[in-house]
Amino acid sequence: MENHEHQQHKKTDHSKMDHGNGGHSGHDANAPMGMAGHDHHKMMVADFRKRFWISTIISIPILFFSPMIQEFFGYDYLLPGNSYILFVLSSFVYFWGAWPFLKGFWGEMKVKGPGMMTLISMAISVAYFYSSATVFGLRGEDFFWELVTLIDIMLLGHWLEMKSVLGASKALQLLVSMLPSEAHKVVGNTIEDVKLDDLIKDDIILIKPGEKIPADGIIIEGTSYLNESMLTGESKPIKKEFDDKVIGGSLNGNSTLKVKVVHTGKDSYLNKVIKMVDEAQRTKSKMQNLSDKAAKWLTYIALFIGFSTLAVWLLLGYPFVFALERMVTVMIIACPHALGLAIPLVVAISTAVSAQNGLLIRNRTAFEESRKISALLFDKTGTLTKGDFGVTRIESVIKKYTSDEVLRLASALEQSSEHPIAVGIIKKVKEDNAAIPKPENFNSITGKGVEADVEGKQVKVVSPGYLRDEKITIPEDAYSDAAETVVFVLIDGELAGYIALADEIRPESADAIKTFKKNNIKVFMATGDNEKTAKAVSDKLGLDGYFAEVLPHQKVEIVKDLQDKGEFVAMTGDGVNDAPALAMADVGVAVGSGSDIAAETADIILVNSNPKDIANLILFGKATFKKMIQNLIWATGYNIIAIPLAAGVLYSSGFVLGPALAAVFMSLSTIIVALNAQLLKGKMRKSK
């Protein structure tokens, strides 16, 4: 909020958000992990594990008593009714072990969306019913041993894959587990342990050293260092003292604190983060839609090639069992399992990891497109600079008002504002032990300052732009130092004096700018400050350009102009007065305290106002997109080689890919995609 304007935070709908259900049809493992599905997912992992082990144990006698296996290993050990024993054992593996696949097939049929489960079910059903028919008189050879090993491998692949998906959701679960179950409530002179649900606003709670903060609040007694790393990504403990805000879930250091509760339950910062991460994981982006379409087409292609393979081998005069095996192999190898997992798993991991590092993604498409950013427009105060203004000079312009009087009257207008300039002025008044008078008829002058009646006088605290508009001459000595921000005090229409404040440039800003430059991103700054201050900051940081004395609505025009020049623009602002510009930008990034996130309207929210976090965001966005592309290539690319091999193109050379080996390759591709997605966790650490 560069223009020294005092307004309430406004919550607006964000048109860019595109909620969807996410995931590939027919298999829960492919859906992005939301909070509600976590326990269900754990049960499914346990179910696949149980089915895998029991089916594998039953497969051992099937393999041992299979004539083909005995012939291969050169032993002969057949039981009376051998084929019936194989039939009964294989029937159990087919109907019980493969039940999740058969159930998934019916699910896909109900929504008329044939997919991975359709392919698996058709392949194993054809193999099972053909083999069963040979037991009861049909001429040909069974392949029960291939059927059960195929089911075992598919169960193993699903089990490992779902474990990987569950791991991706653990970051979100860690956020949930960060709040303690109880709080120490101060009641008079006693302390009562109460459940978190029983806490209400304005309760006083005691937090002992080493304990987690149970709710958002304000410190009313004590000083301590708090660890907020799980919430903001800030690794160093932060000093918190009287009147400072604390976030529920952060860890108290070495001192006891008394905290007045501000937010609990659904209104707490942590719950907002959890909800936002959950929503982002369920949101479909362009990449997810592309993956879903590719999986659907791969299913149709596999069905077509599968039946064509069967027909071609039969027309060439080969036995039905051989042609059938080729068809089954094609269907297994072409299962779009890895493809269905490729994007949702990356989504689940990237969103949760981002939240742990203080990046809250509200619009997945914007996050994925952050790789395209070519121009960044920064708000100055609190982002490139610390936003911690200190008063450096107070000057009186007319004799009837001393500099102390100018400061005292100005402070009356600033006492209810959280703007950094206002905070700086109030801090100075408190240091001087001066009494702050009460204002009446308070009013905001859009983008240019504030006005009110104080002690019978009309007082205005305004920007230099207001003076120019009103044709009031700015004193020549007002800007003695280029790094100062100056506000002017008018009393009864006269320029009574001015207050100069300095805002220190963040030490991290220079490193962040270097990172942007290295990635060919132009950096611009828009500020309500005067030309001299803007130029000083721009020169010191080596920016590509700056815009001084800008009103909030003018930032929209700056964004438009940059877009008209062909730039892909990211706008960073505080999410209040900058809302129009954040919405206009290709990627809107809101910066500021996490406790205000409910009021933000951007695509991405940075819990801290650190410019390095924006650099991390862009680098992590690029890494995420790369992982998606890698997974898509791996999930579809291997089919180019595998499907022809499965169909038997190298049969004349003596190479035949069997159904069981096809299942190994298919499961392997799924596991590789899952492991590749997990590597994203390291990418965020590297970019920090």
Side-chain angles (χ1 to χ4, degrees):
M1 192 161 63
E2 294 289 349
N3 296 290
H4 195 41
E5 179 183 359
H6 306 257
Q7 289 188 1
Q8 290 297 313
H9 284 212
K10 295 171 187 173
K11 189 172 181 179
T12 56
D13 291 329
H14 195 252
S15 59
K16 290 184 186 175
M17 289 181 70
D18 56 332
H19 292 288
N21 293 322
H24 182 63
S25 67
H27 185 29
D28 290 355
N30 294 337
M33 279 298 294
M35 291 296 302
H38 185 82
D39 290 337
H40 172 65
H41 209 85
K42 277 174 83 173
M43 286 167 64
M44 287 185 71
V45 171
D47 183 58
F48 270 107
R49 181 176 63 233
K50 184 173 77 173
R51 287 179 197 272
F52 165 71
W53 284 117
I54 291 172
S55 297
T56 301
I57 290 164
I58 292 169
S59 297
I60 294 168
I62 296 171
L63 286 163
F64 184 79
F65 292 116
S66 285
M68 200 180 291
I69 297 293
Q70 294 192 13
E71 190 182 323
F72 182 79
F73 285 102
Y75 69 94
D76 187 9
Y77 195 88
L78 296 176
L79 291 172
N82 199 77
S83 60
Y84 294 104
I85 292 168
L86 293 178
F87 166 71
V88 170
L89 293 174
S90 298
S91 294
F92 176 82
V93 175
Y94 173 75
F95 285 107
W96 184 81
W99 175 244
F101 309 126
L102 300 174
K103 186 182 172 187
F105 163 69
W106 286 114
E108 289 180 351
M109 287 300 99
K110 276 180 193 171
V111 296
K112 295 178 183 172
M116 177 185 56
M117 292 301 178
T118 302
L119 288 180
I120 295 172
S121 298
M122 285 188 73
I124 60 176
S125 296
V126 167
Y128 172 74
F129 288 111
Y130 173 78
S131 298
S132 300
T134 63
V135 174
F136 296 100
L138 183 74
R139 285 188 66 186
E141 292 179 24
D142 70 75
F143 45 101
F144 282 129
W145 75 271
E146 284 188 297
L147 168 72
V148 294
T149 50
L150 175 59
I151 291 170
D152 294 342
I153 293 161
M154 299 295 277
L155 286 169
L156 176 63
H158 275 63
W159 170 31
L160 294 175
E161 169 227 318
M162 291 176 77
K163 269 184 78 176
S164 184
V165 175
L166 196 66
S169 76
K170 273 183 184 168
L172 192 53
Q173 293 302 307
L174 279 171
L175 288 174
V176 179
S177 66
M178 283 175 67
L179 287 174
S181 56
E182 290 186 332
H184 311 304
K185 184 178 172 182
V186 179
V187 184
N189 295 322
T190 61
I191 306 289
E192 291 179 11
D193 285 348
V194 298
K195 289 190 173 174
L196 235 54
D197 295 345
D198 297 332
L199 280 183
I200 56 170
K201 191 175 183 290
D202 295 332
D203 275 350
I204 307 298
I205 51 175
L206 186 80
I207 299 104
K208 296 173 184 174
E211 289 186 338
K212 289 174 182 175
I213 309 288
D216 298 352
I218 294 169
I219 295 173
I220 57 168
E221 190 181 303
T223 300
S224 188
Y225 283 86
L226 265 61
N227 185 339
E228 297 179 344
S229 58
M230 257 302 275
L231 298 154
T232 65
E234 176 56 62
S235 55
K236 286 188 292 187
I238 298 159
K239 188 180 182 183
K240 299 276 183 175
E241 49 198 359
F242 178 77
D243 218 25
D244 280 346
K245 290 178 184 175
V246 294
I247 301 172
S250 46
L251 190 67
N252 186 22
N254 54 358
S255 302
T256 301
L257 294 174
K258 270 190 187 173
V259 170
K260 185 179 180 181
V261 174
V262 176
H263 294 131
T264 60
K266 288 178 184 174
D267 295 326
S268 73
Y269 166 72
L270 193 59
N271 271 301
K272 286 171 189 166
V273 172
I274 290 163
K275 189 183 173 199
M276 225 175 261
V277 173
D278 191 22
E279 282 180 358
Q281 288 186 352
R282 291 172 179 273
T283 301
K284 275 198 182 183
S285 65
K286 287 175 186 173
M287 288 297 290
Q288 177 63 61
N289 288 328
L290 174 68
S291 169
D292 287 351
K293 278 181 187 172
K296 196 175 179 182
W297 277 106
L298 189 57
T299 301
Y300 292 137
I301 291 165
L303 287 168
F304 174 75
I305 295 175
F307 285 111
S308 299
T309 301
L310 177 72
V312 168
W313 284 111
L314 287 174
L315 287 170
L316 291 172
Y318 284 83
F320 181 75
V321 67
F322 177 82
L324 188 67
E325 194 174 89
R326 300 280 59 75
M327 182 187 84
V328 167
T329 309
V330 166
M331 286 182 172
I332 292 300
I333 204 85
C335 278
H337 202 206
L339 191 55
L341 186 69
I343 304 301
L345 194 56
V346 174
V347 165
I349 291 169
S350 67
T351 316
V353 169
S354 296
Q356 284 179 309
N357 287 275
L359 309 175
L360 306 180
I361 298 163
R362 298 183 75 177
N363 180 352
R364 285 224 53 88
T365 300
F367 172 62
E368 285 163 24
E369 291 194 336
S370 62
R371 72 188 190 282
K372 297 181 190 172
I373 293 169
S374 62
L376 255 174
L377 181 64
F378 271 104
D379 219 12
K380 178 181 76 73
T381 307
T383 309
L384 292 174
T385 59
K386 285 184 175 178
D388 186 11
F389 281 88
V391 173
T392 52
R393 289 182 300 134
I394 309 155
E395 300 289 347
S396 168
V397 175
I398 47 179
K399 285 183 180 177
K400 59 179 169 177
Y401 297 110
T402 63
S403 58
D404 288 345
E405 188 71 358
V406 168
L407 178 68
R408 194 179 70 84
L409 291 171
S411 70
L413 279 66
E414 305 291 9
Q415 60 188 316
S416 60
S417 171
E418 290 185 9
H419 190 281
I421 290 174
V423 172
I425 290 171
I426 297 300
K427 189 178 167 188
K428 176 64 177 168
V429 173
K430 285 182 177 175
E431 283 172 6
D432 294 349
N433 293 317
I436 301 172
K438 284 188 177 178
E440 293 174 356
N441 304 320
F442 182 90
N443 181 45
S444 173
I445 308 165
T446 305
K448 292 177 183 174
V450 286
E451 60 183 354
D453 294 331
V454 184
E455 297 176 347
K457 302 178 183 71
Q458 190 198 41
V459 180
K460 293 179 182 177
V461 181
V462 294
S463 67
Y466 179 87
L467 297 191
R468 271 192 284 278
D469 289 350
E470 297 296 317
K471 306 289 190 289
I472 299 171
T473 307
I474 297 173
E476 286 181 17
D477 60 350
Y479 299 113
S480 64
D481 177 36
E484 286 180 330
T485 295
V486 182
V487 292
F488 297 88
V489 182
L490 275 65
I491 302 173
D492 293 330
E494 277 186 292
L495 178 59
Y498 54 87
I499 302 167
L501 304 97
D503 181 16
E504 198 180 333
I505 292 174
R506 278 178 176 270
E508 309 97 332
S509 294
D511 283 344
I513 303 299
K514 281 177 192 168
T515 304
F516 299 134
K517 292 284 180 73
K518 208 194 303 184
N519 285 270
N520 299 316
I521 297 167
K522 302 182 188 81
V523 186
F524 300 93
M525 178 182 75
T527 175
D529 263 336
N530 63 79
E531 175 76 21
K532 272 189 177 179
T533 302
K535 189 176 188 305
V537 173
S538 178
D539 289 348
K540 190 167 183 182
L541 291 173
L543 305 183
D544 293 285
Y546 64 90
F547 305 90
E549 295 177 33
V550 175
L551 297 176
H553 70 270
Q554 291 173 320
K555 290 178 185 174
V556 178
E557 292 161 26
I558 295 167
V559 170
K560 269 188 193 169
D561 288 343
L562 288 168
Q563 287 171 332
D564 289 343
K565 289 173 185 169
E567 304 289 358
F568 196 87
V569 182
M571 164 73 194
T572 67
D574 66 5
V576 188
N577 298 319
D578 296 322
L582 288 169
M584 173 59 65
D586 298 294
V587 179
V589 182
V591 293
S593 70
S595 54
D596 294 330
I597 62 171
E600 307 290 8
T601 57
D603 302 312
I604 296 153
I605 296 157
L606 301 187
V607 178
N608 295 320
S609 302
N610 190 337
K612 278 188 87 173
D613 284 349
I614 299 168
N616 286 337
L617 161 72
I618 294 168
L619 294 175
F620 191 56
K622 284 184 176 182
T624 299
F625 185 75
K626 270 186 192 169
K627 280 281 166 265
M628 287 180 173
I629 295 297
Q630 285 167 8
N631 275 4
L632 284 178
I633 289 169
W634 180 259
T636 53
Y638 87 105
N639 284 298
I640 296 166
I641 298 167
I643 290 175
L645 288 177
V649 292
L650 293 182
Y651 177 68
S652 58
S653 306
F655 178 81
V656 180
L657 186 66
L661 193 57
V664 170
F665 282 126
M666 196 280 283
S667 296
L668 194 62
S669 72
T670 304
I671 292 162
I672 288 169
V673 162
L675 291 174
N676 189 40
Q678 295 288 345
L679 294 174
L680 258 183
K681 292 174 181 176
K683 292 286 180 187
M684 175 55 98
R685 282 193 285 273
K686 276 182 195 170
S687 68
K688 283 189 79 63

